[in-house]
Amino acid sequence: MTDENTPGTPVTDGGLSAEAQDVIDEIDEKGVEFLRLQFTDILGTVKNVAVPATQAEKAFTDGIYFDGSSIEGFVRIQESDMRLKPDPETFAVLPWRDGTSARLICDVINTSTGEPFEGDPRRVLKNVLDRAEEMGYEVNVAPEPEFFLFEEDEEGRATTKTSDAGGYFDLAPKDLASDVRRDIIYGLEDMGFEIEASHHEVAQGQHEINFEYDDALTTADNVATFRTVVRAIAAQHDLHATFMPKPIPRINGSGMHTHISLFEGGENAFHDESDQFDLSDTAHSFLAGILDHAPAITAVTDPTVNSYKRLVPGYEAPVYVAWSDRNRSALIRKPAARVPAASRIEARFPDPSCNPYLAFAALISAGLDGIERDLDAPDPIRENIYEFDEQKRQEYGIDTLPANLGEAVDALEDNEVIADALGDHVYDKFVEAKSQEYDEFRVDVSQWELDRYLETY
């Protein structure tokens, strides 16, 4: 007997899959009292429905219904009924509230058709991964999300006053937030996250936690939960954690460098030791696809007005469409690999405000398009592109990323590959939301303008 929604999954006599029964057993063993059934809207904001743990079996067999019209980018009020279908493989006890709450990430089901909802960002990524599987590939991803820790004021509101004076790889006493980072890592590890490293970043109050490689869907699930966990544990230390790309002007912003590799038949499809850079033809074509679609991808991987305050020369964020095996000024870097299985590429332009499901879907889809079109990667740029003038960049054929969110949305509207990856529903809602955001920004008057012009003219 198999689960009707997951072909090949054995089901117990009670109608539960074996995986779901294992979760229910673990709920009893660990004394979990509440389940947080999580999903994201198209902007990447984590939503959750909390149910008593006694409703776990019902959640697995019948699902939990909710009003989809209240969720950004989902449906209109006349077609609002949606159903959450928990994925038992995502069960994890949350590292707070004395271990009495647990997470289950859900797929969203359209109740009118009984099919997966096309506006569910998790479904968007699954569709792209299905395409990769049809081409014979498994996709592994490892992100490096950065964030700032700020002090709170007397009323508990976030400030932009940093909690330490540390810099890149500093130790205590300058890195006063090392205890917070330690608690975050312990919490994540308790949830089953594989953490590779953590350290203080370049800017004061800025931190980075690196994920171990995992399949793209699991990694996207973990990034979504990661942001929630970081904020919650920071709040326990009376600090505010933010993944806003550029909260402080004229210092480095926060990125989410994303390492990607494809595996085929259990072997790394990106590795070729006969190549000068140890990259296979498949890897060259994949990175060429990302470079080719980079302007449109940026709308998804760097999706806020504030994202483009980070993507400026001089603050370690890449703005030039090129790749390198050495320097970090290029859009894509080929990191050193100790063993063949570690051969990968690093997309350096995404930031942590993105919806991880949509961001990974856009990057992977672009790379797969490069493979299908057998694109040739340009020569790597080993010089510091930040030091090039415009004439030299033109000589090298180096384009730049969009300068603002409006230009990025325009590039997305002109790109069928990334639009197809998002699907009609998500594409339409995403473009609508981001166009509105940019229009609101354009008509606003900033404090900088008032300070500059109010008494001058």
Side-chain angles (χ1 to χ4, degrees):
M1 184 176 182
T2 60
D3 185 335
E4 63 179 358
N5 292 314
T6 310
T9 301
V11 171
T12 65
D13 291 339
L16 290 171
S17 69
E19 290 83 357
Q21 185 61 56
D22 288 343
V23 169
I24 290 177
D25 293 342
E26 191 171 354
I27 287 172
D28 292 338
E29 292 170 7
K30 295 184 175 179
V32 172
E33 297 177 3
F34 288 94
L35 296 175
R36 295 187 178 275
L37 307 182
Q38 295 184 350
F39 61 103
T40 70
D41 63 19
I42 64 167
L43 302 183
T45 304
V46 174
K47 305 292 184 178
N48 83 96
V49 176
V51 299
T54 54
Q55 297 296 307
E57 183 171 346
K58 177 183 177 183
F60 282 122
T61 56
D62 300 333
I64 299 296
Y65 290 78
F66 71 100
D67 178 7
S69 67
S70 299
I71 305 300
E72 179 75 45
F74 271 30
V75 292
R76 298 169 296 179
I77 194 166
Q78 64 266 36
E79 48 193 21
S80 59
D81 286 342
M82 295 276 123
R83 178 165 60 91
L84 295 177
K85 180 177 181 292
D87 181 345
E89 294 186 1
T90 65
F91 177 81
V93 177
L94 293 167
W96 59 78
R97 296 182 184 274
D98 300 322
T100 60
S101 293
R103 169 205 83 170
L104 278 166
I105 292 178
C106 300
D107 294 308
V108 181
I109 305 300
N110 187 333
T111 57
S112 63
T113 64
E115 298 296 322
F117 174 48
E118 63 177 354
D120 178 10
R122 197 169 192 257
R123 169 49 52 184
V124 170
L125 179 56
K126 282 186 171 184
N127 289 341
V128 172
L129 296 178
D130 287 344
R131 177 185 167 203
E133 185 177 5
E134 290 171 0
M135 295 172 65
Y137 300 119
E138 297 176 5
V139 186
N140 286 342
V141 176
E144 300 174 352
E146 298 169 345
F147 57 95
F148 280 86
L149 291 175
F150 292 126
E151 295 182 1
E152 296 178 341
D153 64 18
E154 296 80 4
E155 297 180 357
R157 295 176 180 173
T159 71
T160 53
K161 182 180 180 181
T162 59
S163 59
D164 62 72
Y168 196 57
F169 276 84
D170 271 351
L171 295 172
K174 286 188 175 181
D175 182 8
L176 300 178
S178 58
D179 288 348
V180 186
R181 235 178 21 248
R182 178 201 61 202
D183 289 349
I184 290 170
I185 291 172
Y186 285 161
L188 293 171
E189 289 180 338
D190 287 345
M191 293 182 67
F193 283 47
E194 296 287 340
I195 302 300
E196 182 178 74
S198 77
H199 59 86
H200 199 291
E201 258 297 339
V202 175
Q204 292 183 9
Q206 188 182 35
H207 307 270
E208 176 179 302
I209 294 178
N210 301 344
F211 288 34
E212 285 277 6
Y213 261 86
D214 212 328
D215 69 272
L217 183 64
T218 298
T219 302
D221 288 339
N222 287 343
V223 170
T225 298
F226 169 81
R227 294 188 294 210
T228 302
V229 170
V230 169
R231 291 191 193 100
I233 293 178
Q236 293 174 356
H237 291 263
D238 297 321
L239 296 172
H240 177 78
T242 182
F243 294 89
M244 180 180 178
K246 188 89 166 186
I248 303 176
R250 290 176 289 280
I251 67 170
N252 289 7
S254 293
M256 190 178 76
H257 304 159
T258 302
H259 298 251
I260 307 172
S261 62
L262 302 183
F263 276 69
E264 186 176 22
E267 300 292 330
N268 191 335
F270 275 8
H271 183 75
D272 182 355
E273 62 184 17
S274 67
D275 178 69
Q276 179 183 358
F277 310 106
D278 292 330
L279 289 177
S280 66
D281 290 342
T282 298
H284 282 282
S285 292
F286 190 94
L287 74 85
I290 293 179
L291 294 177
D292 188 49
H293 297 290
I297 296 172
T298 306
V300 184
T301 57
D302 304 82
T304 71
V305 164
N306 182 254
S307 297
Y308 298 85
K309 302 294 180 71
R310 166 183 169 257
L311 294 176
V312 293
Y315 296 98
E316 296 194 7
V319 295
Y320 301 117
V321 183
W323 78 281
S324 178
D325 64 320
R326 292 183 179 176
N327 76 74
R328 287 169 163 79
S329 63
L331 204 68
I332 296 177
R333 188 174 72 96
K334 193 277 177 185
R338 296 183 299 274
V339 294
S343 290
R344 63 201 186 276
I345 64 168
E346 176 192 16
R348 295 180 56 79
F349 58 111
D351 75 45
S353 71
C354 69
N355 183 322
Y357 301 103
L358 301 187
F360 293 169
L363 288 164
I364 295 165
S365 183
L368 296 178
D369 181 63
I371 294 174
E372 288 182 329
R373 291 161 57 199
D374 195 25
L375 293 182
D376 292 325
D379 292 334
I381 306 298
R382 292 182 159 183
E383 303 161 75
N384 186 350
I385 308 174
Y386 294 142
E387 297 178 355
F388 288 9
D389 57 23
E390 184 174 356
Q391 180 179 349
K392 191 169 184 178
R393 289 198 301 270
Q394 290 178 348
E395 291 174 1
Y396 278 72
I398 299 173
D399 293 325
T400 60
L401 290 179
N404 54 59
L405 181 61
E407 290 183 8
V409 172
D410 288 343
L412 176 59
E413 291 184 293
D414 290 335
N415 191 297
E416 292 184 5
V417 170
I418 306 304
D420 287 346
L422 298 178
D424 290 343
H425 183 102
V426 170
Y427 169 79
D428 289 342
K429 296 295 185 181
F430 186 86
V431 168
E432 178 184 351
K434 291 300 158 182
S435 297
Q436 180 180 346
E437 179 180 339
Y438 186 63
D439 285 344
E440 290 175 359
F441 169 71
R442 287 195 307 121
V443 299
D444 192 34
V445 178
S446 68
Q447 186 62 46
W448 182 92
E449 292 169 280
L450 294 175
D451 293 342
R452 183 94 170 193
Y453 304 124
L454 187 62
E455 296 181 356
T456 302
Y457 298 102

